[in-house]
Amino acid sequence: MATYDLLVIGAGPGGYVCAIRAAQLGLKVAVAEGRATLGGTCLNVGCIPSKALLHATHELHEANHNFGRMGLVVPQPQVDWARMLAYKDEVIGQNTTGIEFLFKKNKIDWLKGYASIPAPGQVALNGETHEARAIVIASGSQASTLPGVTVDEEVVVTSTGALSLKAIPQSMVVIGAGVIGLEMGSVYSRLGTEVTVVEYLDQITPGMDAEVCKQFQRLLQKQGLTFVLGTAVQGVERTAAGAVVTHKSRKTGKEDRLEAEVVLVATGRKPFVDGLGLDALGVQMTPRGQIATDAGFATSVPGLYAIGDVREGPMLAHKAEDEGVAVAEILAGQHGHVNYGVIPGVIYTTPEVATVGQTEEQLKAEGRAYKVGKFPFMGNGRAKAVFQGEGFVKLLSDKATDRILGCHIIGPMAGDLIHEVAVAMEFGASAEDLARTCHAHPTFSEAVREAALACGDGAIHA
Ligand code: FAD
Ligand code: NAI
């Protein structure tokens, strides 16, 4: 048994970042992690492996479709699936062992095993009880599947199974046109799988800027993905050849079925709190099954905190990380906080989709007077050179003050471009501030500047 200033449960982006910052601030820290490797969902079966497969298949797409246009004559690329999976696993390994190194460097104890909280200030695992002045729960989330759908992670899979399929399927039905469905759907579509995405609502990526959604859907369809929108999945049955998905149109009530070799259930994730003993402790939960916390991440039990996917807010690695830093600072007597108004969201398809701040639909609903500055990548020389002129940047600013309220980008490197706007928003900048900042030519970021110009006197290249 040992006594710590801080014991973190879960070594995902929330937990491991919290532990490192707390150790840097002088606290004696341990992290309990049940998985065999550090890094949580994100590094092991989430962000990192999905981005590795997106990268590999993007390169395949470039070789198949754009190399010839640039005078690069190469033989038809062949996919060695086993090697592609090995590359993905190598990337995971590099990242998870990197966290082990950081733990050693910061003198953080890794307690291996699944932990429970028998009493306030105590964490039990492997038959031992450890004491801690503060406990931070960062136990993350798990896939939430549909009633009547049995996941076997071979034919009917969540994202975890989809990251390690035994073979590339000829056909795949994806249930849910959210982030996982579209990223993993893109991976397999580029590998030659016939991908059909069934979505309950009438648009893909619900909640995102409507114009972006429309263009995104158009471009994905052009790449070969098929969408069945406004349709509720009724059930999934295993067959000898794969599975059958039965679904019903929400408008017409018409029932139909889709057969596929693999079915990916991507209908959202839910907090993971199994085995922690929260009921017995009397920890207050939200109606959505999240751990309820106050603005300082404190739960209803003194000395017990929660961060990341297990509490409210977007289920994103960087949101979990920022909460990890904030709670560590609070525990060290500082004033950590997270600005939830400026958390970017990125979908790593081609083109990428990125968003920060409010959407036009949200501003309309609030009755806020705003300006829209839009600029198409078709007017950006660099984007045209890489065959990615089909997206746009949309910047929203306050009508009276010109303060930036949001930005929505579909186009090349959108996930990186969005951060110039995020920084500007943190500084309370106006669209004119961005527009008057010299941007190097030729860069994709000139499209952001042009959108900012379009909020004022007008873009130059439109
Ligand atoms: P997690 O990363 O889920 O980590 C929690 C850890 O706690 C786990 O390792 C678990 O084993 C451990 N644990 C749980 N209970 C216990 C216990 N009792 N004792 C000990 N250990 C325990 N987000 C992005 O921002 N960008 C992306 O590109 C992105 N891609 C994703 C792709 C996929 C396929 C998926 C599934 C998710 C993706 N996400 C992405 C979401 C991201 O992975 C999560 O938001 C993030 O991992 C949440 O971090 P966390 O620290 O809260 O929890
Ligand atoms: P999601 O919430 O993004 O999308 C789920 C989709 O499934 C929604 O569009 C929903 O309307 C639909 N749906 C729900 N029930 C349905 C039904 N019965 N039939 C048809 N459609 C149905 O969830 P997703 O994609 O599973 O991702 C989970 C979390 O992981 C997200 O919160 C996301 O933030 C995170 N993530 C982030 C990534 C990134 O940042 N690039 C990548 C992957 C995941």
Side-chain angles (χ1 to χ4, degrees):
M1 178 179 133
T3 302
Y4 294 96
D5 294 320
L6 168 63
L7 208 155
V8 182
I9 300 179
Y16 85 69
V17 167
C18 172
I20 292 171
R21 174 58 90 233
Q24 287 171 339
L25 295 174
L27 304 191
K28 185 170 158 40
V29 184
V31 178
E33 172 55 61
R35 217 182 270 275
T37 48
L38 299 174
T41 303
C42 180
L43 273 60
N44 290 284
V45 287
C47 328
I48 296 299
S50 58
K51 265 81 258 178
L53 291 184
L54 278 159
H55 173 68
T57 56
H58 170 74
E59 298 290 306
L60 175 68
H61 180 91
E62 289 296 290
N64 279 330
H65 295 89
N66 292 329
F67 273 23
R69 294 168 82 182
M70 295 184 283
L72 294 170
V73 184
V74 291
Q76 180 81 17
Q78 302 295 311
V79 175
D80 181 336
W81 181 234
R83 266 170 70 182
M84 196 180 282
L85 291 181
Y87 145 73
K88 175 215 51 165
D89 290 337
E90 193 186 320
V91 174
I92 294 173
Q94 284 166 356
N95 281 277
T96 56
T97 51
I99 310 297
E100 271 184 61
F101 164 79
L102 292 174
F103 272 21
K104 282 187 193 130
K105 183 179 162 200
N106 288 285
K107 300 188 172 43
I108 296 164
D109 288 348
W110 173 10
L111 309 176
K112 298 182 184 180
Y114 282 95
S116 63
I117 309 167
Q122 292 187 358
V123 172
L125 81 166
N126 302 329
E128 280 189 20
T129 302
H130 304 271
E131 305 230 313
R133 186 167 62 80
I135 299 167
V136 170
I137 302 173
S139 53
S141 62
Q142 61 182 347
S144 67
T145 56
L146 296 172
V149 176
T150 309
V151 168
D152 54 36
E153 296 296 14
E154 284 192 0
V155 169
V156 183
V157 299
T158 66
S159 53
T160 301
L163 288 165
S164 297
L165 291 181
K166 288 205 180 91
I168 299 167
Q170 291 207 329
S171 55
M172 176 183 271
V173 168
V174 175
I175 308 176
V179 199
I180 291 181
L182 299 183
E183 286 188 353
M184 294 312 297
S186 284
V187 164
Y188 284 99
S189 170
R190 292 169 190 168
L191 288 166
T193 305
E194 199 183 295
V195 176
T196 307
V197 185
V198 184
E199 164 60 45
Y200 183 79
L201 297 172
D202 291 329
Q203 63 166 89
I204 67 168
T205 54
M208 284 194 30
D209 178 90
E211 277 183 283
V212 169
C213 286
K214 225 163 134 193
Q215 178 69 346
F216 191 25
Q217 184 182 338
R218 210 177 65 77
L219 294 177
L220 290 175
Q221 276 166 342
K222 227 168 119 182
Q223 289 169 23
L225 281 89
T226 304
F227 291 96
V228 182
L229 302 181
T231 298
V233 167
Q234 311 283 93
V236 179
E237 291 290 331
R238 282 283 305 258
T239 61
V244 174
V245 177
T246 46
H247 57 85
K248 189 175 178 176
S249 163
R250 290 173 56 228
K251 219 183 259 166
T252 63
K254 188 172 168 275
E255 289 191 16
D256 216 335
R257 63 209 295 276
L258 283 161
E259 284 175 48
E261 222 177 294
V262 169
V263 175
L264 165 61
V265 187
T267 49
R269 293 178 62 84
K270 59 182 180 195
F272 181 75
V273 293
D274 297 1
L276 286 170
L278 301 187
D279 269 0
L281 277 175
V283 175
Q284 202 181 319
M285 307 295 285
T286 71
R288 298 182 59 201
Q290 303 149 323
I291 298 178
T293 58
D294 66 13
F297 311 100
T299 70
S300 56
V301 172
L304 187 62
Y305 300 80
I307 57 167
D309 280 10
V310 81
R311 71 178 289 277
E312 66 174 334
M315 286 183 163
L316 295 171
H318 41 283
K319 175 264 193 185
E321 291 184 30
D322 280 21
E323 290 183 345
V325 169
V327 78
E329 289 174 351
I330 290 168
L331 293 172
Q334 301 182 358
H335 300 281
H337 83 287
V338 176
N339 179 2
Y340 291 97
V342 187
I343 295 185
V346 180
I347 308 178
Y348 298 84
T349 43
T350 304
E352 289 185 351
V353 176
T355 172
V356 69
Q358 290 178 285
T359 61
E360 199 174 349
E361 291 72 32
Q362 286 170 333
L363 294 174
K364 269 190 194 138
E366 270 181 21
R368 181 126 184 207
Y370 62 91
K371 294 185 282 182
V372 183
K374 248 176 89 176
F375 187 78
F377 278 102
M378 209 40 102
N380 178 279
R382 185 76 179 278
K384 276 187 290 201
V386 300
F387 314 112
Q388 286 208 49
E390 291 184 290
F392 58 85
V393 179
K394 178 172 172 179
L395 194 76
L396 302 163
S397 71
D398 185 89
K399 187 149 195 176
T401 65
D402 196 32
R403 187 180 176 136
I404 301 169
L405 301 173
C407 184
H408 310 279
I409 308 177
I410 175 164
M413 303 294 283
D416 286 273
L417 296 181
I418 201 72
H419 293 95
E420 120 168 59
V421 183
V423 172
M425 287 177 74
E426 285 286 3
F427 280 83
S430 63
E432 187 179 349
D433 288 325
L434 270 191
R436 289 195 181 276
T437 304
C438 186
H439 284 62
H441 176 75
T443 59
F444 302 128
S445 71
E446 287 173 288
V448 177
R449 183 197 205 177
E450 292 268 21
L453 279 163
C455 278
D457 295 334
I460 302 290
H461 295 90

